Amino acid sequence: MQVGKPILYSYFRSSCSWRVRIALALKNIDYETVAINLTKDGGQQFSEEFQALNPMKQVPALKIDGITIGQSLAIIEYLEETRPTPRLLPRDPKKRAQVRMVSDLIASGIQPLQNLSVLKQVGQENQLTWAQQAITSGFNGSRWTSPPTLPSATSTSHCWPWRPSTCLTPVGSQIHPLS
């Protein structure tokens, strides 16, 4: 199916791109990266070339197996279905539903509130405080979810934490940014 390496269209500060990079690394998938700078020249995602690739004008986008997939969780689901080892989702349907719930909460309920397009509307002076409040509120809202029991170190079903972690790690970094 795949001719050459998969190509990930990504921005280094994009939490959505970050979660795909984490999943690709966990699955040991070798890939090429094409940087799409979301701030340079008014945003390279608005170029005609990138719009032809992803009409949503968002990163990430992954070219793989002759198709282009946008949206990080759709990409991760595709990788899980086409490259099932190592597993990112548990086999048990109830546990899988819990993992998807936490992942969706983060990807849909927390992360969009700290996107560049949203933060521009808030104003430069309020961005950090507003994003931190939105993220903290989302984390507090996720407390009612109880994750499945973590397996022992010798268990082979070690996958459950990885899918939510692909969502959680990038968003958590926005609470206390490095720069």
Side-chain angles (χ1 to χ4, degrees):
M1 272 193 264
Q2 179 69 26
V3 178
K5 292 181 188 178
I7 301 171
L8 177 64
Y9 296 82
S10 176
Y11 181 57
F12 76 102
R13 288 182 53 197
S14 161
S15 57
C16 297
S17 295
W18 194 352
R19 71 177 64 110
V20 172
R21 291 192 304 266
I22 292 169
L24 287 164
L26 288 170
K27 290 202 168 274
N28 297 308
I29 298 171
D30 191 23
Y31 65 96
E32 295 178 19
T33 300
V34 174
I36 303 296
N37 192 315
L38 303 183
T39 60
K40 184 178 180 182
D41 302 324
Q44 294 174 339
Q45 71 275 25
F46 299 115
S47 71
E48 287 183 26
E49 180 183 351
F50 189 73
Q51 285 183 55
L53 180 75
N54 185 353
M56 287 295 296
K57 302 173 249 177
Q58 297 174 336
V59 294
L62 182 68
K63 275 188 175 180
I64 190 168
D65 300 336
I67 63 171
T68 301
I69 308 167
Q71 300 300 321
S72 60
L73 292 184
I75 293 168
I76 293 169
E77 289 282 337
Y78 181 81
L79 295 175
E80 183 73 356
E81 291 171 4
T82 60
R83 288 137 177 98
T85 56
R87 296 180 58 80
L88 298 180
L89 291 170
R91 293 185 198 282
D92 179 86
K94 291 178 183 176
K95 290 178 181 178
R96 215 169 34 245
Q98 287 181 308
V99 168
R100 286 182 171 132
M101 180 175 59
V102 172
S103 299
D104 286 344
L105 173 77
I106 294 165
S108 300
I110 297 173
Q111 180 269 323
L113 300 174
Q114 48 91 28
N115 275 352
L116 283 176
S117 60
V118 174
L119 291 176
K120 283 181 183 179
Q121 301 301 315
V122 174
Q124 182 72 34
E125 65 283 352
N126 299 318
Q127 285 181 1
L128 181 60
T129 302
W130 189 82
Q132 288 173 334
Q133 288 172 347
I135 293 167
T136 300
S137 174
F139 284 157
N140 289 338
S142 70
R143 287 187 182 164
W144 64 271
T145 63
S146 56
T149 305
L150 292 174
S152 70
T154 58
S155 171
T156 57
S157 64
H158 61 281
C159 58
W160 113 256
W162 304 122
R163 166 105 185 259
S165 293
T166 64
C167 296
L168 184 60
T169 302
V171 172
S173 72
Q174 298 298 319
I175 294 174
H176 298 289
L178 298 175
S179 57

